[in-house]
Amino acid sequence: MKPVYLLDTNVISEFTKPFSNKNLIKKVSETLDCCAICSTVWQETVPYSDSQIAATAIANNMILVTHNTEDFLPLVQNSILHVEDWWEEE
């Protein structure tokens, strides 16, 4: 079974920047058929949204893609949440 990636707000906003992270753009392009966006990503305004995004990833057995890995660290340490940072090269 292919992994499904739930994209965090900072992944989506990267596409609007004049100098986007090339590694991130490449990874999204390579996995486009396996990516999803949580509805809270579109209007994320408070940290509570991070818990909703994480819950969506956990409930649907998805891998959360974010550059804000520290924001999700407590959930990673205390749940089955899996997080990847595509800004970093492998």
Side-chain angles (χ1 to χ4, degrees):
M1 176 185 232
K2 283 174 104 174
V4 178
Y5 299 97
L6 182 64
L7 307 181
D8 191 16
T9 309
N10 57 24
V11 175
I12 303 307
S13 66
E14 191 70 17
F15 286 89
T16 67
K17 296 180 180 178
F19 301 103
S20 304
N21 180 283
K22 292 182 186 339
N23 194 59
L24 172 74
I25 302 302
K26 180 178 180 253
K27 291 280 283 194
V28 171
S29 298
E30 291 171 351
T31 58
L32 198 54
D33 62 332
C34 302
C35 292
I37 302 169
C38 183
S39 62
T40 59
V41 164
W42 293 113
Q43 297 184 13
E44 183 177 351
T45 57
V46 295
Y48 178 73
S49 296
D50 285 345
S51 65
Q52 292 177 316
I53 294 167
T56 300
I58 292 168
N60 292 285
N61 197 32
M62 300 168 119
I63 299 166
L64 175 59
V65 178
T66 183
H67 192 48
N68 301 330
T69 55
E70 289 295 316
D71 293 350
F72 294 95
L73 189 57
L75 293 167
V76 168
Q77 293 172 336
N78 296 295
S79 73
I80 59 170
L81 179 64
H82 297 281
V83 175
E84 291 185 10
D85 182 351
W86 288 356
W87 276 254
E88 305 298 324
E89 291 189 44
E90 294 178 8

